[in-house]
Amino acid sequence: VRATAPDGQPGHALTEAAAGAPPVNLELNYPEAAGQSEVLARALAPLLRPDALGDALRPAGAAGTPAAREAFAALLDGGGVRADPARILFTGNGRQAIAATLASLARPGDRVGVEPLTYPLVKEIAARLGLSLVPLAMDEEGIRPQSVAAVHRTAPLAALYLQPTLHNPTALTMGESRRAELADVVHRLGIPVVEDRIWSFLEPGPHRIPPLAALAPDLVHLVDGLSKRVAPGLTVGFVVGPAGRGEAVARALETLATVARGGRGAGSGSARW
């Protein structure tokens, strides 16, 4: 990223220090709090017991354990909505949650609506799944519902992938009335939604706007993870799907995990994608 002042001289910008130096990498972003390691050390200390460590390191399927589902339901509790623990599935990371959900909703050649500036890895996921990403018009509140309807009329959309809260990279947050309008449109058109909530824990103020999943629970698949909330290396992801969708997402998750392992049989579905 470079800048030039009006007089033609270089301005303040991100520039390479010298020829041959590596470029500045802006792809990865995550919050880091002072004292984070100390807090994590205290939380992990009980795992040092052999019996606890043995339980923690056992293979686990996408459904996890009842205790884990309850814990993640509490973690997602916000905006006056609590996720149903029975509808939570676990993945190796957030991107695998996105990939499995999209794979369960769309087939190669299908169209998926996205924000014009979207999470970069969604482009890679779409390419691997053979999906065509379709940019939707945005304003200061995010995706415009009229754009969804217009694009869908042109050629049907198999799904939407959106970040309504603290969108990456614009940091826009969709207001409650806009979310209600969008929920009405997807209901009317029957378009499933993948709602990425990865940054929602940073939403400012005591009042958290309810997710789209609360307004269209029969269509919205909420995805989230721990890499931003807790630590970049803790890559657990999860999906909260509509009732009756868990089996389809779990099948897609297992297929992706098998591909990541080179097709070597069944496993826990926790391979990185």
Side-chain angles (χ1 to χ4, degrees):
V1 179
R2 298 180 183 277
T4 302
D7 61 0
Q9 298 300 312
H12 295 290
L14 292 171
T15 59
E16 294 82 357
V24 177
N25 186 349
L26 298 178
E27 181 177 349
L28 298 178
N29 54 349
Y30 51 87
E32 193 169 272
Q36 183 179 27
S37 297
E38 289 77 5
V39 172
L40 284 173
R42 289 196 298 271
L44 294 173
L47 291 177
L48 296 179
R49 298 195 330 262
D51 57 332
L53 190 59
D55 287 339
L57 296 180
R58 284 198 182 105
T65 65
R69 292 195 299 273
E70 286 288 348
F72 275 75
L75 183 72
L76 289 170
D77 196 0
V81 178
R82 181 176 171 84
D84 180 358
R87 288 162 44 202
I88 295 177
L89 292 175
F90 295 95
T91 66
N93 49 42
R95 74 197 74 167
Q96 193 184 54
I98 297 168
T101 308
L102 287 175
S104 76
L105 294 170
R107 296 182 177 183
D110 281 350
R111 290 157 44 95
V112 174
V114 294
E115 291 107 343
L117 287 172
T118 191
Y119 177 39
L121 283 175
V122 169
K123 297 180 180 180
E124 180 182 331
I125 290 168
R128 293 194 183 196
L129 295 177
L131 307 178
S132 176
L133 297 183
V134 182
L136 303 167
M138 290 180 68
D139 58 19
E140 66 279 0
E141 279 205 75
I143 288 296
R144 297 172 58 190
Q146 303 93 323
S147 174
V148 176
V151 168
H152 188 68
R153 281 196 300 269
T154 302
L157 294 170
L160 304 179
Y161 166 81
L162 305 174
Q163 288 186 328
T165 301
L166 293 173
H167 168 260
N168 177 12
T170 67
L172 292 174
T173 291
M174 189 180 292
E176 291 189 60
S177 59
R178 172 62 61 84
R179 295 183 193 217
E181 291 176 36
L182 184 58
D184 180 67
V185 167
V186 297
H187 261 134
R188 180 162 44 86
L189 300 175
I191 305 174
V193 181
V194 180
E195 179 181 12
D196 190 340
R197 295 273 294 172
I198 195 71
W199 290 110
S200 61
F201 72 100
L202 291 177
E203 187 177 1
H207 174 62
R208 298 181 66 184
I209 302 175
L212 273 175
L215 303 175
D218 54 331
L219 286 170
V220 177
H221 301 67
L222 188 150
V223 300
D224 205 334
L226 294 184
S227 62
K228 311 298 189 203
R229 293 172 181 263
V230 183
L234 188 58
T235 61
V236 178
F238 43 95
V239 180
V240 185
R245 286 283 304 155
E247 186 177 340
V249 176
R251 283 199 306 268
L253 178 61
E254 179 56 31
T255 298
L256 293 178
T258 301
V259 171
R261 291 190 300 268
R264 296 188 298 273
S268 66
S270 61
R272 299 194 178 195
W273 202 80

